[in-house]
Amino acid sequence: MARALINVPQKAKRGEIIEIKTLMSHPMETGFRTGLDGQLVPRDIIEQFVCTYNGEVVFSAHLYPAITANPFLSFTTIAADSGTLVFSWTDNKGETQVQTASIQVE
Amino acid sequence: MNRLLVILLVCVALPASAQDARKSGFAFMGPDTQAMQTDDLANPGMLSVLEGEALWNAKAGTSQKSCAACHGDAPQSMKGVATRYPAFDDTTQAPLDLAGRILQCRTERQGALAFQREGRELLALTSYVGHQSRNMTIAPSQDTRLAAARAQGAALYSTRVGQLNFSCAQCHDDNAGGHLGAAPIPQAHPTGYPLYRLEWQSLGSLQRRFRNCLSGMRAEPIPAGSADAIALELFLMDRAAGMKLETPAVRP
């Protein structure tokens, strides 16, 4: 898979609601379209997105063929402790891409 | 005296209002799409810019040199470059667009295989170079050798073509600000190319936009990188002189 843009605030106060934005570079090919040769273009989509915060799942989503290329997901969580956020995208071939971001909670 | 003052005021006000009448396609979009463009972490075009940065620093071809090996840091060396393209190329004695210049550098100086026009890599590099001129004003090359091509572009812009018998000017000059179906008709200022079109779900060049418009007019699309496409690009960039570049823009 390819690259992703992640926006997590570097610092937050304990108990504060923080917004996390992720933008993943992905074609999200539906598998329903035909190519120039008239054959179906094989499906290539992200099926699952999971975000864990110090090991605990804070947000997850299932993605389907109708979702746009380069999906943008934005969600909120409560800043509990300093630590790492792990983002993982899994596609329909079972490949997973993982990126991490750290946050400091005061 | 009063009359003289009025005439003077009109003279001063005219160029300003003529400039104000020009609007980037950005002004015709909804607030959601505008927010998507201005937030670098939501703008999908930035993914291409990042990929372009990686390509800029990657060694390629028989020379085993990267773009950075000769040109150094793009934020310095490529600043303002996109504002003056298409430019006149001395070796081919013809106007050359920015993507064409990158291709020329790649095949002749890096000794690498050419990228495909409208391919992912070429768009990424072009958007990376274009991005270095973001918020700078478009300042077309003043090379007199470009005049003929620019005139050719102006002619293409106002010539009726295709089964629907339309010219570019009929929509983008006469009916700009109106609607074609549900879509607003912008003034056709190429301020943000290569740009991310939500309809395409990918980045695309200005020349892809030409082909898109022309096939809508049931006319023969202009091939990418052809003299006609570069001439039209030259004319449009000149028409947008003084406007700010937005690369990579987002458009619906």
Side-chain angles (χ1 to χ4, degrees):
Chain A
M1 276 198 262
R3 60 196 71 240
L5 285 169
I6 296 169
N7 182 18
V8 176
Q10 291 184 325
K11 283 181 181 175
K13 292 199 177 76
R14 198 174 301 274
E16 190 187 337
I17 296 173
I18 51 168
E19 189 183 16
I20 297 163
K21 296 176 189 167
T22 66
L23 180 65
M24 181 66 187
S25 164
H26 200 279
M28 294 296 279
E29 187 59 57
T30 61
F32 298 123
R33 301 196 306 164
T34 48
L36 290 174
D37 56 358
Q39 300 293 310
L40 282 179
V41 182
R43 177 171 294 183
D44 180 12
I45 62 166
I46 298 169
E47 286 193 328
Q48 199 180 24
F49 169 75
V50 180
C51 170
T52 62
Y53 183 9
N54 286 338
E56 189 190 341
V57 175
V58 290
F59 181 85
S60 76
H62 289 281
L63 286 83
Y64 294 94
I67 289 174
T68 171
N70 308 317
F72 173 77
L73 293 169
S74 160
F75 51 94
T76 56
T77 186
I78 293 170
D81 290 300
S82 298
T84 46
L85 288 139
V86 180
F87 304 88
S88 69
W89 294 263
T90 308
D91 68 12
N92 57 332
K93 293 169 211 149
E95 281 177 42
T96 302
Q97 178 163 330
V98 178
Q99 285 209 11
T100 58
S102 58
I103 181 168
Q104 209 158 17
V105 177
E106 292 159 345
Chain B
M1 186 65 206
N2 264 349
R3 190 172 294 167
L4 192 70
L5 196 70
V6 167
I7 291 171
L8 265 175
L9 275 177
V10 166
C11 288
V12 172
L14 260 182
S17 63
Q19 284 233 319
D20 289 346
R22 288 189 310 175
K23 277 189 203 152
S24 155
F26 184 81
F28 295 87
M29 311 196 295
D32 288 353
T33 322
Q34 289 184 341
M36 191 191 257
Q37 178 178 323
T38 44
D39 180 359
D40 276 353
L41 287 155
N43 183 341
M46 289 307 290
L47 294 167
S48 246
V49 171
L50 280 182
E51 194 181 335
E53 188 179 8
L55 285 168
W56 180 267
N57 294 306
K59 288 178 185 166
T62 49
S63 71
Q64 275 304 300
K65 275 186 170 177
S66 67
C67 308
C70 289
H71 296 286
D73 248 8
Q76 276 118 51
S77 62
M78 292 294 124
K79 195 173 167 67
V81 169
T83 62
R84 50 178 188 265
Y85 267 80
F88 195 83
D89 178 42
D90 289 315
T91 51
T92 56
Q93 288 293 306
L96 193 63
D97 58 344
L98 187 56
R101 175 70 78 203
I102 292 171
L103 279 177
Q104 190 191 53
C105 228
R106 186 171 165 84
T107 52
E108 288 174 17
R109 286 183 269 283
Q110 282 185 307
L113 284 175
F115 288 134
Q116 231 183 333
R117 280 254 178 195
E118 216 55 44
R120 194 187 167 94
E121 295 96 342
L122 186 58
L123 284 171
L125 262 176
T126 315
S127 64
Y128 180 60
V129 172
H131 182 64
Q132 311 309 326
S133 307
R134 180 142 84 162
N135 292 328
M136 294 180 74
T137 48
I138 296 172
S141 166
Q142 294 304 311
D143 197 324
T144 47
R145 294 172 295 179
L146 290 170
R150 204 166 271 152
Q152 185 195 344
L156 281 171
Y157 184 78
S158 53
T159 307
R160 286 169 176 260
V161 286
Q163 288 180 326
L164 298 188
N165 205 25
F166 277 144
S167 75
C168 313
Q170 280 179 299
C171 273
H172 296 290
D173 283 349
D174 302 347
N175 288 297
H179 285 78
L180 187 64
I185 303 173
Q187 297 173 354
H189 293 301
T191 50
Y193 285 92
L195 55 72
Y196 192 90
R197 273 200 89 206
L198 301 178
E199 183 194 319
W200 293 337
Q201 300 214 356
S202 72
L203 211 72
S205 67
L206 176 58
Q207 298 186 8
R208 178 172 178 188
R209 178 70 256 190
F210 293 162
R211 295 197 290 277
N212 199 189
C213 258
L214 285 164
S215 57
M217 284 147 66
R218 317 277 188 273
E220 190 182 341
I222 312 176
S226 64
D228 277 354
I230 295 170
L232 191 52
E233 187 168 340
L234 255 172
F235 167 70
L236 288 177
M237 287 300 270
D238 194 48
R239 187 167 159 269
M243 298 179 77
K244 284 205 166 24
L245 271 184
E246 304 161 27
T247 311
V250 176
R251 294 289 182 267

